[in-house]
Amino acid sequence: MPKNRFPSARGRRHGAPSSVLRRASIGGIVLAVLLAVAGLVAYVTRAESPAAPKATPAPASSSTSPSPAATTHAGVAVVAPPRTTDPIEFAKAATKVLWTYDTRSFSQAEHMAGLKRWMTDEKKYADWKSVSDQVPTPVLWSRMHDNGQHAGATVGEGHFPQAFKTALAQDPGAITEAYVYAVTVTGKQSIAWKGSGAGAESRSTTFAVQCRPDRDCALVGVLPNVAP
């Protein structure tokens, strides 16, 4: 495995305190009620995160007719988000996008532009930094390009973390202000580079996903710690 491989979320979770504070927007969305209901103070410091319960009607999945993809050359840097109102379906698609990249064909800027299209357009809730932190810097991306590095993903199971389900079961109406759900997804990322080099690892990520009843889901952010 080369030293310049695409950094996993685990490797980028330990940011400066100011970074954590900037990302407190997610806490304001999903957790304003949860902090009082379930005592999830750990989430504010990014020690744990939550999602939505059966007590609140889960959004139904809609057909997936993708919007125009982010394209630059003959290919696609990042596929377009699916058109769905199911937070788990959306989070699984987002997982595949975040764990997939091709430095041989696309620049870091093109990749970032594609990811940005997955974000919610509600600036009050969007935590773009938590997503951009998953992507190598332009300098590192250039080195990975020189090494012909690319990655793909196999997505497995997705679920609402237990802490969030428990909290929202106590206050089912809490979700109706921002309609932001936390979803944990597991799977495997496979990485390859020049010289027949290759490797793979099992991974898990917890997302904050906004799924309002009258529109398709969108990405709010990526939590730095995985919520079980």
Side-chain angles (χ1 to χ4, degrees):
M1 189 77 66
K3 292 182 180 179
N4 66 338
R5 56 150 296 185
F6 194 88
S8 68
R10 291 192 299 272
R12 304 190 63 139
R13 284 176 191 146
H14 304 290
S18 60
S19 174
V20 176
L21 290 175
R22 284 195 300 269
R23 288 154 56 182
S25 58
I26 293 183
I29 317 161
V30 195
L31 294 130
V33 174
L34 302 188
L35 290 174
V37 174
L40 299 180
V41 177
Y43 179 92
V44 175
T45 59
R46 292 306 193 257
E48 186 178 8
S49 79
K54 294 181 180 178
T56 300
S61 175
S62 64
S63 60
T64 60
S65 58
S67 56
T71 60
T72 39
H73 311 308
V76 178
V78 175
V79 298
R83 301 198 62 180
T84 181
T85 55
D86 184 333
I88 292 180
E89 179 182 337
F90 183 89
K92 291 172 75 170
T95 299
K96 190 173 184 68
V97 161
L98 278 181
W99 296 355
T100 300
Y101 61 89
D102 189 348
T103 65
R104 302 167 302 177
S105 303
F106 301 99
S107 68
Q108 192 257 17
E110 290 166 348
H111 188 81
M112 294 280 274
L115 287 179
K116 201 152 194 175
R117 300 189 63 195
W118 286 66
M119 299 295 297
T120 176
D121 59 6
E122 296 185 37
K123 294 182 180 180
K124 176 181 178 181
Y125 302 130
D127 186 11
W128 169 241
K129 189 176 188 305
S130 70
V131 177
S132 63
D133 277 354
Q134 311 300 310
V135 181
T137 64
V139 172
L140 179 54
W141 187 279
S142 177
R143 292 174 181 171
M144 292 163 64
H145 167 78
D146 294 341
N147 204 30
Q149 192 164 318
H150 55 285
T154 301
V155 178
E157 178 266 351
H159 66 275
F160 297 127
Q162 185 58 48
F164 195 44
K165 291 194 292 183
T166 299
L168 278 182
Q170 298 181 44
D171 188 356
I175 197 72
T176 60
E177 179 180 349
Y179 284 96
V180 174
Y181 301 80
V183 183
T184 295
V185 182
T186 61
K188 181 174 289 187
Q189 183 185 48
S190 301
I191 303 172
W193 56 92
K194 286 181 180 178
S196 301
E201 69 169 347
S202 297
R203 295 181 59 184
S204 298
T205 301
T206 300
F207 296 88
V209 176
Q210 185 179 52
C211 297
R212 291 195 181 277
D214 59 343
R215 68 188 74 169
D216 295 322
C217 294
L219 185 60
V220 169
V222 179
L223 305 188
N225 290 337
V226 177

